[in-house]
Amino acid sequence: MFDQPLAARTNPERSFAEEVRSLRLGAGEVFRGEGVLAVTKALLQSGVAYVGGYQGAPMSHLVDVLVEAQDLLDELGVHLETCTNEAAAAALLGASINYPIRGCVTWKSIVGTNVAADALSNLASPGVVGGALIVVGEDYGEGASIIQERAHAYALKSSVWLMDPRPNLQTIVRCVEKGFELSEASNTPVMVELRIRACHVTGEFVAKDNVAPPISRNQRLADPAPHNYDRISHPPSTYVQEKLKVEVRLPAAQRFIVEQGLNELLPGERDDLGIIVQGGIANVLLRGLDRLGLADTFGAVKVPTLVLNVTHPLAPDQIADFCKGKRAVLVVEEGSPDYLEQAIGALLRKRDIGTRLHGKDVLPMAGEYTAEVMTVGLLKFFGQSANDMDLSKPAQALEAARAGRAEAQRLIGAPLPLRPPGFCTGCPERPVFSAIKLLEREVGKVHISSDIGCHSFATLAPFHLGNSILGYGMSLAAAGAVAPVMQKRTISVMGDGGFWHNGLLSGVSSAMFNRGDRVLVVMQNGYTSATGAQFLPSSAGNRRDGRNTSDIAATLRAMGVRWLRTIRTYNVATMLRTLREAMTTNEPGLKVIVADGECQLARQRRIRPQQAAALKRGERVVRTRYGVDDAVCTGDHSCIRLSGCPSLTIKPSPDPLRDDPVAQVINSCVGCGLCGEVADAAVLCPSFYKAEIVQNPAWRDRLLARVRSGVIGWLQGRSRDTATVA
Amino acid sequence: MTAPDRPVTILIAALGGDGGGVLSDWIVEAAHHAGLPAQATQIPGVAQRTGATTYYVEVLPLHRGQLAGRTPVLALNPAMGEVDVLLASELVEAGRMVFNGWVTPDRTTLISSSHRVFAIGERAAMGDGRFDVGRLLRAVRERSKAQILFDMDQAAEEAGSVLNAVLLGALAGSRRLPIPDASFEFAIRAAGKSVEANLAGFAFGRAHACGELEQTVRLHQKRQAEARGVEDLLERGRRSFPAGAQPVIEEGIRRLAGYQDRGYAELYLDRLDRVWGSEKDAGGDGALLGETARHLAVRMSFEDVIRVAQVKTGADRLARVRTEVRAREGEPLVITEHFKPGIEEICALLPPTLARRVLAWAERKGRLGKWYWSMHVRTTTVSGFTRLWLLSRLRWWRPRTFRFAGEQAQIERWLDQIQRAAPLSLTLAREIAECARLIKGYGDTHKRGLGNFARIEAAVIAPALAGTMTPSVAVDATASARVAALADPEGESLARALGEIARHTQEMPRAAE
C-alpha cells in the first residue's frame, strides 16, 4: 500500500508541517494558531513527559500534530502513545500515580470519557504525584456528532477537577499550565474541557521555551517506585482514598484556585446583580450583554460577572462573597443537568444568603447557548430582576430579527434540501451498502446494527440502512439479543477503527463465546477515516518502524472464526453473492466479511502527487473516470439511490421533450467504478460508460487510436448516408 | 461600515471538504497583515465529509496600535441580525443562511456563488427533485442588503483556480472589510499552496465584485434531433396544428424519422390528428395536443437495444464524451460500455410469437429476472464498435419485434383514453397524457413505471371514463397519484395515495346518481 519512505508517512488526510514549526517557538515569540494547537504548545512548555490519546473531533489534531513532531518529541524526551482507545489513554496516566512526571491524555467527550471511565475512577482514587491532565473535546452543540451529555458528571463522581477556560488562547494556555500545578497541588487529575468552537478558535499568545521533563524517555529512572499499598486502588486503601479526596485534596484544590486567581471576577457598576458563567461560554455571554448595552467590545461589563475557568470544584467562599448583598444572580450554565446551579443554590441556602438565584428558569435546560438563546435568557433575567433597566430596544431588535427570519422562511416557501454528511467520492464503503440494498431486494429488510465511523453515514440518504448505534465498536454486541428473535440473520457493520477500539473484545469474543449466529461486516479501509485518517493497528506500515502490526483476518482466525471472507469492496456482484451466502449458509456461529478497500481520501492524497510527477516526467498515465450518456439516461436516478456518490449528480436533460434531469458524472470522479458495478449488479441501464484517457500516449497508443478512429469514422459515414440519427 | 470599535462579522457557509477552512484562514491572515485583530472558528466535525457547515470570522476594524493595550472579546457564534457579510460557496447554502435568519436586509452583504451543487434528496428523486431556484433567488435578494452573486464555480474553472479563491476576491471587491487587496494577496502567498492559481481566482472574484468584469453566462443547450428528407412532413405539421404545439411536433417528427423512418413519423402525425380532432371538438386550444405530442414522441421512440446502439455509435457521440471527460487533443480515449441484457431484452428483439414462447418457458423454469449476460463492450475498438454498429442497423427489423408490437398497443390504448377523456374534461385528458412520464428507463425501472401506470389506470382513469368518478375528482386523483408514484421506488406512497382515493370516492355520493 505504501511506497514512500517512512519519514514521509504522515497523516494521509492533511499535513501539519506548519503547525509543527509553531510548536518550536521560544520565549517571547508570538504563537498564532488554533485552540487545540495552543494546548499542544502549552503541554510542551509545561514539561510534559508523556502524551497519549484517541482521535475524535474536535480534539484529533492534538495527537495528529505530535505524530508529525516526532523529532521535537525525541529532543525533549516526550513519549507519545497513539492509543487504540480512550481506556488505554486514561490508563497511561497511571504513570503519574507513582512518579512525579507530568502527563496529558486527550479524547472526544462524552463518548471517550465513557470508554475511559474505569481507568479514570481507578486513577482518581489513589490520586497522582505528577501532574495529570485530561484534555477533552466537549463535542456539544452545533457541529457535534454524538449524544449530548456533559463531561462534568465524571468530574463530580470521580473527584476529578474540571477546567472550562474562556475561549481565547491566553486563557486556554494558562489553564493548561496551571492545570498541571493544580493537579500536583491537590494530587488529583485535572480535566480541561474545550467546546468545538474553542478547539478551532484562532488567536495568539506569547510563547515560552519548551521544557524538557526531568524524568523522561531521555532521562530514565534506575528503579521503580517502592511498593506502597496506599497507591493501589484496592481495599482497604480505597476507603482511605475516598476520605482523602474530600478531606485533603478538595480543600487543597479550592485554595489553589483562589490563590492563583484561576477564576476571573469582572467588576461592574450594578452591584445589586451578578452573573456566574462557565468560562467556555463567557464570550457568548459578554456579546449578549454588549447587545443589551451592558458591556463593550473589550469585555468591560456593567453587571459584575464571575467567570469560572474552573467549574469543579467551586470555591465556596468565592461564590458566597460574590453573591452576598446582591438581589439576584444568574448562573449561565450550558447543558443538563444544572450541576453548578444546584451546587450554588445549596451553598447559598446553607450560608443563609438571600440572593435570588436564576439559571435554568430563564435559560433552557437543554441545548447549546447560542447568541439568540443567550439574548432571550438575559432579557428574561433583567426583566425580572432589574425593572429599572430599559431594554426595550434590544428586545425590539430581537423581535424584528425573529420576524425577519419568519419572513425569509415564508419567501423560501419550503424546507431547503438537507445536506447531511455522506461517503466521499469513490469511498470503498459505499459499495458494501449498495450490495446490502440489493440483498434486501432479494431477501427483504434485514436488521442492521450500525456503528461509529464513516459507515454510519449509511443510516442517512440515500441508503437509510441501520437500526441502532450503540457506541464505537459495539455493533456486533448490540445485535446479541436481536439475532435470537429474528427469523433472518442480523448484519452488524463495523469499521476497522471500531474493530480495534472495542469491537474485537466486546463484539467478536463475546459472539464467539456465546455461539452467536450473526453476520459481521468489517470495513477494512486502513485508517480511522472519520476522525481524519489516523493509523491503526492494521494500517499498512506502523508509523514507528514501517512494519505491519496486526492483521484483522489473522486475528479473527486466531479467535476461532471459521466462516471468514475477505472481499474487495468495489466488486458489488461478489459482495452481494458473499452477503447472500453469509445470510443463508448452514454454517453455525459468527460469519465475518472483511470488506477491503483503502480509504479513497487517503489513497487520492497518496497517488495524486505520484501521478502528477509521472505526468511531468512524460510517462504514460491512464486516467480513468466514468460517464453517463445523457441521450440514453431517462432520468429515473436509480443509480443515484444505490450510490449517493458526490460525483454522480444530475443536470438538465438535453432532450427538448423531457423535463426530468438526467444523471451526470462530474469531474471529481476518481474512477472507482462503483457506478458501472451497480448498473451491472442491479441491471439498471446501459447509460454508464468507463472512459480511460491515455495521457502522454506512446506511439503505439497514437497509432492504434488513428487506425480505430479511421475505421469507426468510415462506418459512421455509412450510417449517415443511409439514415438520420436521433 | 460598522463603528470602528464594533467587529465586522463574517459568516461562511460551505460544503465540507470544499476549503471553507482555507478561506477563513486567508481572511484572518489578511486581517493580521493589515494590522487588524481578527478571530475565526469553525465546527467541521463529520460535515467534513460533504455535509453543509459554517465558519465564523470577526475582524475588528481598529488598528492594533489604537487598542491601547485592550484586548477585544470576539464572539465565536454568529448572531441573528448581526452578520455583516455572508460568504456562501453554493446557492442553497446561501439560502439556508437566509432561512436561518443570519442574513438581514439592514446589514448583510450576501456574497455567493449562484451555481448549484445538488443535495442527495434532489439527486435521488425519481423525477425532478430540484429545489425551486427562482424562489430562492428572490428570497436571497429581498432579505439581504446587497448581493454579489455569480457563478463562481464557472469563474474558478475559467481562471484555472478554486472557488474559495474567487469568493475571497469577491469579498475583497465588496469593500466591506477595511483590508486592502495587497493584504489578501499576501495571505494567499503566505499559505504557500497553488499560489498562482489562487491569485488568478482572487483577481477574477475581485474584478467581478467591483463591476470591472462581466461573466458570460453559460446557457444550457437542448439538443435537437437531426433529420433530412422530412421537410414535407414538417410542412404537414405546420399546416395541421396550432402554432403553440409546433416546436414539440417538429422535434417529434425529426426524432421519429431518425429513430425509425419516414413512415413512423407519418404515423406520429396521424395519431396527433386524432388527438387534435378530439381536442378541437371539446373546444381546446392545442394545450392537450402539445402535451400529448411531447409524450407521444418519447413513447414512440422507446428505449430498446437498437436505439441504445444508435446513440452509442452516433457521429457526435465521441466528441461529446471527449469534452465531458476532458480528454485533451492528442490523448487517445478508450470507452467501455456496460450492458447487461436479460431474457426479456433478448425477447424484445424476437418476433412476437417466438418471444412469447421463450418468455413462457423462462417463466416456467424460473429463469426470468435471473439470467443476464454481462457485457463490457469497448466502443472505441473496431470490433466493439462494429458489434454495436451492426445492432444499430437493425432498425428495419424493429417493427417486426415483440417489443414494438407491445409498445404500439400500449400507446394506442393511452391515446384512446386521452381521446375519450377529452369530451368529459380537457384537464382530465391532459392529466392522462401527463401520466406517460411515469414510463421510462430500462429493465426493472421500465417495468415499475408500466406497473404504476396500470395501477393509476385501474383506480382512476377507468372509473372516470366509465362515469363512476366525476372528472374533477379524477383530475385531482390522477395528479396526486402521479406525484405519489414518483415519491418512492417501493410504491408505498402510490399505494397510500390510491387507498385514499378509493376511500374518498366511496364516501362521496356518485355525481351521476
Side-chain angles (χ1 to χ4, degrees), chain A residues 32 39 116 118 128 141 303 362 495 554:
Chain A
R32 292 176 57 223
V39 171
D118 193 19
V128 294
V303 179
V362 295

PDB file of all heavy atoms in Angstrom, chain A residues 32 39 116 118 128 141 303 362 495 554:
ATOM      1  N   ARG A  32       0.756  31.928  16.797  1.00  0.00           N
ATOM      2  CA  ARG A  32      -0.561  32.186  16.203  1.00  0.00           C
ATOM      3  C   ARG A  32      -1.103  30.879  15.670  1.00  0.00           C
ATOM      4  O   ARG A  32      -0.398  30.162  14.965  1.00  0.00           O
ATOM      5  CB  ARG A  32      -0.452  33.212  15.072  1.00  0.00           C
ATOM      6  CG  ARG A  32      -0.095  34.608  15.593  1.00  0.00           C
ATOM      7  CD  ARG A  32       0.095  35.587  14.440  1.00  0.00           C
ATOM      8  NE  ARG A  32      -1.082  35.648  13.627  1.00  0.00           N
ATOM      9  CZ  ARG A  32      -1.075  35.665  12.293  1.00  0.00           C
ATOM     10  NH1 ARG A  32       0.056  35.651  11.631  1.00  0.00           N
ATOM     11  NH2 ARG A  32      -2.202  35.707  11.621  1.00  0.00           N
ATOM     12  N   VAL A  39      -3.042  24.343  23.004  1.00  0.00           N
ATOM     13  CA  VAL A  39      -2.969  23.369  24.098  1.00  0.00           C
ATOM     14  C   VAL A  39      -1.705  22.535  23.954  1.00  0.00           C
ATOM     15  O   VAL A  39      -0.955  22.322  24.916  1.00  0.00           O
ATOM     16  CB  VAL A  39      -4.215  22.445  24.098  1.00  0.00           C
ATOM     17  CG1 VAL A  39      -4.048  21.295  25.078  1.00  0.00           C
ATOM     18  CG2 VAL A  39      -5.473  23.241  24.408  1.00  0.00           C
ATOM     19  N   ALA A 116     -13.252   5.656  28.892  1.00  0.00           N
ATOM     20  CA  ALA A 116     -12.122   5.774  29.814  1.00  0.00           C
ATOM     21  C   ALA A 116     -12.540   5.627  31.268  1.00  0.00           C
ATOM     22  O   ALA A 116     -11.680   5.574  32.163  1.00  0.00           O
ATOM     23  CB  ALA A 116     -11.452   7.132  29.599  1.00  0.00           C
ATOM     24  N   ASP A 118     -13.531   3.550  33.565  1.00  0.00           N
ATOM     25  CA  ASP A 118     -12.998   2.606  34.545  1.00  0.00           C
ATOM     26  C   ASP A 118     -11.592   3.039  34.986  1.00  0.00           C
ATOM     27  O   ASP A 118     -11.297   3.146  36.186  1.00  0.00           O
ATOM     28  CB  ASP A 118     -12.958   1.204  33.921  1.00  0.00           C
ATOM     29  CG  ASP A 118     -12.723   0.127  34.967  1.00  0.00           C
ATOM     30  OD1 ASP A 118     -12.955   0.406  36.163  1.00  0.00           O
ATOM     31  OD2 ASP A 118     -12.299  -0.983  34.590  1.00  0.00           O
ATOM     32  N   VAL A 128      -2.619  11.379  42.178  1.00  0.00           N
ATOM     33  CA  VAL A 128      -1.353  11.436  41.428  1.00  0.00           C
ATOM     34  C   VAL A 128      -0.322  12.285  42.164  1.00  0.00           C
ATOM     35  O   VAL A 128      -0.673  13.167  42.950  1.00  0.00           O
ATOM     36  CB  VAL A 128      -1.586  12.018  40.019  1.00  0.00           C
ATOM     37  CG1 VAL A 128      -2.450  11.077  39.187  1.00  0.00           C
ATOM     38  CG2 VAL A 128      -2.219  13.407  40.088  1.00  0.00           C
ATOM     39  N   GLY A 141     -23.357  20.700  21.033  1.00  0.00           N
ATOM     40  CA  GLY A 141     -23.941  21.803  20.272  1.00  0.00           C
ATOM     41  C   GLY A 141     -23.769  21.627  18.773  1.00  0.00           C
ATOM     42  O   GLY A 141     -23.474  20.533  18.286  1.00  0.00           O
ATOM     43  N   VAL A 303     -22.617  44.700  34.694  1.00  0.00           N
ATOM     44  CA  VAL A 303     -23.105  43.793  35.742  1.00  0.00           C
ATOM     45  C   VAL A 303     -21.930  42.903  36.166  1.00  0.00           C
ATOM     46  O   VAL A 303     -21.331  42.234  35.322  1.00  0.00           O
ATOM     47  CB  VAL A 303     -24.256  42.925  35.197  1.00  0.00           C
ATOM     48  CG1 VAL A 303     -24.754  41.960  36.267  1.00  0.00           C
ATOM     49  CG2 VAL A 303     -25.382  43.805  34.694  1.00  0.00           C
ATOM     50  N   VAL A 362     -34.659  30.923  33.342  1.00  0.00           N
ATOM     51  CA  VAL A 362     -34.722  31.885  32.230  1.00  0.00           C
ATOM     52  C   VAL A 362     -33.955  31.387  31.002  1.00  0.00           C
ATOM     53  O   VAL A 362     -34.169  31.872  29.894  1.00  0.00           O
ATOM     54  CB  VAL A 362     -34.194  33.275  32.654  1.00  0.00           C
ATOM     55  CG1 VAL A 362     -35.089  33.883  33.712  1.00  0.00           C
ATOM     56  CG2 VAL A 362     -32.754  33.211  33.138  1.00  0.00           C
ATOM     57  N   GLY A 495     -16.285  -0.644  11.473  1.00  0.00           N
ATOM     58  CA  GLY A 495     -15.079  -0.223  10.774  1.00  0.00           C
ATOM     59  C   GLY A 495     -13.856  -0.884  11.380  1.00  0.00           C
ATOM     60  O   GLY A 495     -13.936  -1.473  12.463  1.00  0.00           O
ATOM     61  N   ALA A 554      -6.271 -12.422  10.201  1.00  0.00           N
ATOM     62  CA  ALA A 554      -5.470 -13.355  11.002  1.00  0.00           C
ATOM     63  C   ALA A 554      -5.950 -13.359  12.452  1.00  0.00           C
ATOM     64  O   ALA A 554      -6.035 -14.417  13.092  1.00  0.00           O
ATOM     65  CB  ALA A 554      -3.999 -12.970  10.934  1.00  0.00           C
TER      66      ALA A 554
END
